[in-house]
Every structure is written in structure tokens, then in C-alpha cells.
Amino acid sequence: ILVVTDGELTLNDGVDADGISVQALGGGSVYLETATATESIDAQANVLADAGALSVRSGGALTLGANVLFESKGGAAIVLDALGGDLSMDGASAEVDGEGAVVLNASADIYMATLVADELQVSSQAGSILNAAGATLNVTASAVSLSAEGGIGALTRAVTVEVDFFA
């Protein structure tokens, strides 16, 4: 658990250069948060949980940079919240991979790259859900629910899905 009460949170690779910023082993969970409404989270390295839940809650925007993987194994949930801005994924390489439920929530736009889940819920309260530039297949899941005040997809940013059940 890491809660930043004043300032931005940037997740970078450590000195071992393994591409991982945060990793929970042995069934542990990951919880990262910026507590103030204007402070963002910028992930530039992987966040992994081997069997526990993965939750990232940004008071501002949430960004997943190039080659970033957010992954939880063992059926635990992944929840990504951008309470005061966009939730953006680098289209060419960012991936969220969960064997259980994956939930993305933003107050503004959501730019989806690759999302893999058993069940996926994506919700934008005041923005749109869009295909991130460079992404090809946005969603692979058994069941998907998409909700956005501003709409889903656009002519130049169509959302692509491969699902069994769409709501």
C-alpha cells in the first residue's frame, strides 16, 4: 500500500532494469493512490501482482506509458481509477491483463490500448472511450460493459473488441 498525500506518483523501473516498478509476490496485493484531486499517476514500468488484487487510484489523471504491463494472476481484480482526468494507455504497447475482473474508471476520456480479462467494465463519467493511437485490438474478454457520457469510439479512433458477451 502506497498513498501519496502531496505530489505526483511516477512509477519507474528500479536499478535492476527488469522493467518492474512494483511487484507483489506470495498472494499479496498492490494498492497505489494519489490522495489529492489534482495529483496524477504516471506508470513507466510494470506493476504486477502474482495472486492478489491490483488497484491504482489517481486523484488526477492516470497514464500507462510505453511497454507497461499491469497484470494480476489467480483471478484477482484489477481496478484503475482516474478520478480527476483521463486514463491513458500508450496504444502501441501498454497492456492490462487480468485473469479475473478488470475495471477502468475515469472522470474524463479513456484511451484504451490492450485489455485482456475474464470480465471487463470501462466507464467514463464525463468523457469518451477511445482507441489509443497505435492500438489494434482493444479488448479480449468473455464479458464487457462499456459506458461513456461522451460516447464510445470515434471515426478515427474506433474501439475494437473480441468478446463473448457485450453489454
Side-chain angles (χ1 to χ4, degrees):
I1 296 176
L2 173 65
V3 178
V4 177
T5 58
D6 186 22
E8 307 282 326
L9 176 59
T10 301
L11 304 169
N12 288 315
D13 187 7
V15 295
D16 58 3
D18 62 358
I20 299 170
S21 62
V22 178
Q23 183 172 21
L25 300 172
S29 296
V30 174
Y31 182 84
L32 306 169
E33 177 182 357
T34 53
T36 59
T38 59
E39 306 299 350
S40 298
I41 296 176
D42 182 16
Q44 295 301 316
N46 300 336
V47 178
L48 311 172
D50 73 340
L54 192 161
S55 180
V56 180
R57 184 178 173 95
S58 174
L62 174 58
T63 303
L64 280 66
N67 301 313
V68 170
L69 169 65
F70 276 32
E71 181 178 52
S72 178
K73 296 183 178 181
I78 296 176
V79 178
L80 305 179
D81 287 316
L83 302 176
D86 291 343
L87 194 159
S88 302
M89 301 173 68
D90 182 277
S93 59
E95 180 175 347
V96 175
D97 188 351
E99 293 176 359
V102 173
V103 177
L104 275 63
N105 180 48
S107 64
D109 292 332
I110 297 175
Y111 296 92
M112 296 190 309
T114 303
L115 303 169
V116 179
D118 182 39
E119 297 177 13
L120 175 68
Q121 178 183 335
V122 182
S123 177
S124 171
Q125 284 72 46
S128 298
I129 298 172
L130 302 165
N131 181 3
T136 52
L137 179 62
N138 298 115
V139 175
T140 302
S142 296
V144 173
S145 172
L146 303 176
S147 172
E149 179 74 23
I152 299 169
L155 185 60
T156 59
R157 293 203 184 263
V159 173
T160 56
V161 298
E162 185 175 292
V163 299
D164 296 328
F165 179 75
F166 195 98

